[in-house]
Each structure stands twice: as structure tokens, then as C-alpha cells.
Amino acid sequence: MTDLKPVPVPNADTQAFWDACNENRLLFQTCKDCGHTQFYPRAVCVSCESRNLKWHDSAKLGTVHSYTIVQRAPSPAFKADAPYLLALIDLDEGFRMMVNILNCPTDAASIGMKVHIVFEDREGQKVPQAAPLN
Amino acid sequence: MPKHAVISGVHNTKVGSVPDSTVMSLHSEAAFGALADAGLKLSDIDGVLCAYAITETYPMLSSAFCEYVGVAPNFNAGLHGGGATAAMMAMQAAALVRNGDCRHVLCVAGENRLTGMTRDKAVAALAEFGHPQFEQPYGVNIPAAYALVAQRYLHETGATLEHLAALAVLHRTHAAMHPDAHMTEAITLDDVANARTISDPLRLLDCCLISDGGAAFIVSASETAGDMKKSSPAILGTGQGHTHEHILAAPSLTSFGCKMSSATAFGKAGVTTSDIDVAEIYDSFTITLLIELESIGFYEKGEAGEAALRGELTHGGKMPCNTHGGLLSFGHSGAAGGMFHIVEAVRQLRGEADIRQVPDANLAFVHGDGGILSAHCSMILGNT
Ligand SMILES: [Zn+2]
């Protein structure tokens, strides 16, 4: 058991997304046939069965849909961070992500709080995280 | 062709700490208990459904179980629906007997989750939870995922932490009335409020137990019911609902697939929530049950907690619920956890629930959900 936090392993569906993260860009997909916006990246549109998907750059602005303060970390890697904020964020473009809220006291988080996406380096792979907008 | 599928036998093992138990010993004890309850022999069984286990891992648990006890059924399969698995087994078994493929389908689950987990296996199981790329990097675990649901639910409905606590107390009260329950020591609303927070707003007593235990039930063709030792409640309606696996992909944090699964089951049975005498509904966390009671239609959104505080969910109340004590206090041992709800429903319908008995219970609602309110299966059982 390693004490390192999990590093995402890109696959064919997600390689472009994770490559873009390393350039501090947040990508999401829309469907060329029906216009549906989706996250996480996949090879099929969940709305219309189309395989014609298009990548877009997000403005990286969003709102906290829900959050929790994790007191009991799931693994040794997260123990030092506990208590830490885990949240579901609605990006302005209309998709939802799971992130941690960084640079925010745990008692300052709230539903509806405005956040922006920042990037945290994990052994050479940047992962998207959130931070309070102001 | 038989008109109905019936449940002809049920059993649960002792639940809690069961020293020297194994996955297979719990499976076989539960299975033989259900056979005895039905008045059947193992050789009468021509269908077997098992779930999954993590303390002992088998690539094909259902085949391993058949090998272990010595049965060679016509139909044998494993189901993986998390907490919905037991109800899904009932739905699948009912289809098998209605289709004429089987006469008696044994559905069995059991696991020594409390005493049989090595530290390595426990750590690995925790680390594997969540989407590998889009959830695991953020330190999510099962209580945290349910806490995201709970936080949003409290925000939208104005429900309170006391409403969650009321459900924890309710289940402990019911478990104290069951001789096989894991946790029977009385708790108060204050005890729940003062328990340590696991993932805000969920506290230790908002979370289900980890137990050793097994359960089994037998689904039989109704034409065989005359051969049975006891009355066999009929499976009157079943339904499923599936919206996501990962909580980041859930279409809503306050409305889930239980809405569809229950609507289908009620529709097939031709009854409504107001006809139900007793409900056995999955309760992995207090928030799980609160949301399901409301999504299924027993209460309006945000009102189930007040109902619990008023005593409506216990004996003498409007909707006695989880009369065995549920996952929160009776016990939770893998796929057997959701099966305890089915076992209790059958005992209630047969009038065998001793001091827990709901008078004149003739129609029961059973519900299981797996994942993070991801996979749902509902069932109506009734005396015919
Ligand atoms: Zn589309």
C-alpha cells in the first residue's frame, strides 16, 4: 500500500482530457448530433447514441452543488489532509465533476459557493481541483 | 403455467460477530435453514442464485457454492447489484419459475465481513471505491458519497440532523426485538448527535454496521405451494430502476431510480403505498431510507423524518418499516444485508415475527438499492 494519492491513468476515452489538464486546460465533450454536454469523457453520447463527439475548453468556473467534510480518510494517502473538502461542482457549461475544494477552510464551504478550477500536480499528471473564486 | 412465484422458505443465521464462520459456512447454514423452513430437500432445488463476496473471492461464487454443498441445478448464476442484489434475485427467480425453467430456486448470500476481513483486503476494498479516474483521485469513500447526497437533501428540503437521528434510533429499537440482531443496546437522539462525524453531515450512527451473517430464501412455483410446510407469500410485483453507477454521474442527488422501480412494482401488483402493511426498505445510511421513503411515495419530499419522530414508522404507526432493525442495527454482511429485509417481510406476512409482528400484515413492500442509490429493485409480497 503506497502513501501516494491516486494518479489517474488515462485511457483511449480520456487521453485528450488528461493531456489538456497538463496544460492547465479543462476539457468537456458535446455531441455534434444533438448538442448534449457530458462529463466524464466517453466514446458515445449518452443522450442520442451518437459517436460524433467534440471537445471544448471550459472557462473553469463553477458552483458547489454539494460538499462534505471527510473526517475519516479512505486510505493512508489522504490521512494527513483530513478533515478535507470533497465536492460535486457544476461547471458553468453544464457538466458536473467531483473535486476537492482547496485553499478553503472546511467551515467556509457552502452549497452555491462559486469556485474556479485549479490544477494539482500528482507525479507529473495534473488533476483538476476547485478553489474559492475570491 | 403457474400464476405466481411464491417465497416458500426463508432463513437468516446469527448476525454480528460469528467466530469461525466462512463465506461458504454462512451460505450453507442459511441455505439449509431456508430448505428446512420450506420443508424441502436440497435435491428439490433446481435453480441457484448467489451474489458475490469479498472476504473469500471466487470467480464464480454461485458455482463454488453448488460445488460446496453438492447440488447440480438446471440454472445457476451470480448477480452483482450491490444492495439491490437480493431483491434482483427474487425478481430473476420469479421469472425462472413463471417461465417453467425451475420449480424451486434457492437464493443465498452470506459473508464474514466483520471477522473475516484481513487488513489488506479492507484497505484494498476501500481504495477501489469510486470511478478510477474521476472520483478515486479525490479521496472519496462510501460514507463521503452518501454525505454528498445528505448535504444536498438537507439543503433542498430543510430537513434536520434530528430527522436522520430519528431513523437511527428507530432501527435500534426494532433490532432489540430480534433475537439474531447485531446491535441491540438502546440509543437516543442525543447519542446519534454526539457520535463522531464520519463525513459531514453523517455521523457514526447514521452508517450501517459491518457484520458476519448469511441469509437465504427459496422462490417456488405457486403450483407447488400445496406441498409446503408453511404459507408462502406471493411475489405480486417487481421492478427495477437504474440511473448511474458513480455519484458524479447521478442525474439528481435527491431523486433516484427507486421512483421507477417502485412505480413498476406497484403497477404490476395493482396496489399503492396506502395498501402496504409493512415496509422493508434498504437502509445503508439513515439518509438512504429517508430519501427512499419519499421517492417511493410513502411520504412527500422532506416529510419522512418528521414522520419518524412522530412514531409513524414503528409498530402501531402508519407505516411500520424495517421491523428487524435493518442494516443500521440488525446487521449488514455484504449481499446478505439486503436479503435480511426479504426474510423479515416473509416472516411478517406469515405472522411469525413474534414481538415484532405487525398485526394483520398481508401486503409487504421490499426495496434494495446498490451503489450510491444507483441500482434499485422493488418488490411487493402478499398473502393470497
Ligand atoms: Zn447526442
Side-chain angles (χ1 to χ4, degrees), chain B:
Chain B
M1 193 162 286
K3 194 176 169 197
H4 285 312
V6 301
I7 299 186
S8 56
V10 295
H11 189 72
N12 65 265
T13 70
K14 186 83 186 155
V15 176
S17 172
V18 185
D20 302 323
S21 62
T22 68
V23 165
M24 284 304 166
S25 76
L26 291 164
H27 270 71
S28 49
E29 185 189 336
F32 286 115
L35 286 165
D37 189 51
L40 293 170
K41 300 187 298 295
L42 188 59
S43 56
D44 295 320
I45 294 298
D46 54 7
V48 173
L49 294 172
C50 291
Y52 48 86
I54 57 176
T55 57
E56 284 167 41
T57 47
Y58 298 93
M60 301 186 294
L61 179 63
S62 209
S63 296
F65 166 75
C66 291
E67 173 189 289
Y68 184 92
V69 294
V71 64
N74 300 336
F75 185 95
N76 172 39
L79 270 69
H80 288 250
T85 305
M88 288 172 171
M89 285 173 167
M91 185 170 175
Q92 181 62 45
L96 287 168
V97 302
R98 282 199 198 101
N99 197 42
D101 292 320
C102 298
R103 282 165 61 86
H104 299 291
V105 181
L106 171 64
C107 303
V108 56
E111 201 164 349
N112 49 343
R113 284 248 176 138
L114 179 60
T115 63
M117 283 292 268
T118 61
R119 185 160 178 80
D120 283 354
K121 276 188 176 165
V123 169
L126 282 171
E128 276 165 18
F129 172 77
H131 191 290
Q133 294 182 57
F134 296 99
E135 294 187 334
Q136 285 178 14
Y138 303 105
V140 63
N141 55 16
I142 293 172
Y146 275 94
L148 291 167
V149 172
Q151 193 84 276
R152 185 71 200 182
Y153 171 85
L154 297 177
H155 175 80
E156 283 187 19
T157 62
T160 66
L161 291 174
E162 195 178 40
H163 294 153
L164 296 178
L167 290 180
V169 172
L170 171 84
H171 285 76
R172 188 59 58 88
T173 307
H174 289 170
M177 299 160 77
H178 198 304
D180 300 326
H182 185 171
M183 295 292 274
T184 55
E185 193 188 334
I187 55 171
T188 65
L189 292 174
D190 280 346
D191 291 334
V192 185
N194 296 328
R196 72 170 192 272
T197 300
I198 301 295
S199 200
D200 188 65
L202 298 177
R203 302 144 298 188
L204 180 66
L205 294 172
D206 288 306
C207 307
C208 62
L209 305 173
I210 297 171
S211 320
D212 301 334
F217 61 95
I218 298 164
V219 175
S220 300
S222 59
E223 64 200 6
T224 69
D227 311 338
M228 299 302 165
K229 213 163 99 182
K230 299 176 176 176
S231 71
S232 301
I235 298 174
L236 300 176
T238 52
Q240 296 191 12
H242 303 275
T243 52
H244 62 282
E245 168 155 3
H246 304 102
I247 195 62
L248 97 155
S252 162
L253 292 191
T254 55
S255 178
F256 293 94
C258 43
K259 200 165 260 178
M260 292 82 93
S261 67
S262 58
T264 304
F266 280 118
K268 283 188 188 164
V271 300
T272 68
T273 51
S274 59
D275 298 318
I276 297 296
D277 299 312
V278 60
E280 310 292 347
I281 301 176
Y282 207 73
D283 56 310
S284 48
F285 294 84
T286 50
I287 185 64
T288 316
L289 180 58
L290 212 49
I291 284 183
E292 290 182 339
L293 280 167
E294 293 168 7
S295 279
I296 290 163
F298 288 107
Y299 289 96
E300 294 295 315
K301 197 168 178 176
E303 290 181 4
E306 279 296 335
L309 284 171
R310 285 196 301 269
E312 288 189 15
L313 301 181
T314 192
H315 300 85
K318 184 176 125 188
M319 191 65 265
C321 183
N322 293 350
T323 42
H324 62 310
L327 306 164
L328 289 165
S329 282
F330 179 80
H332 191 4
S333 39
M339 204 175 281
F340 298 140
H341 294 75
I342 296 174
V343 171
E344 176 69 2
V346 169
R347 288 189 177 137
Q348 288 285 348
L349 293 173
R350 283 174 170 174
E352 291 180 337
D354 296 325
I355 57 168
R356 307 185 311 282
Q357 185 64 46
V358 173
D360 303 319
N362 281 306
L363 204 58
F365 176 83
V366 179
H367 183 83
D369 88 81
I372 309 301
L373 291 149
S374 316
H376 296 261
C377 188
S378 303
M379 173 164 61
I380 316 292
L381 297 176
N383 293 327
T384 51

Side-chain angles (χ1 to χ4, degrees), chain A residues 30-38 44-53:
Chain A
T30 62
C31 174
K32 285 184 191 172
D33 290 320
C34 78
H36 181 74
T37 298
Q38 68 182 23
V44 57
C45 168
V46 299
S47 182
C48 79
E49 308 173 22
S50 168
R51 273 72 155 175
N52 295 317
L53 296 156

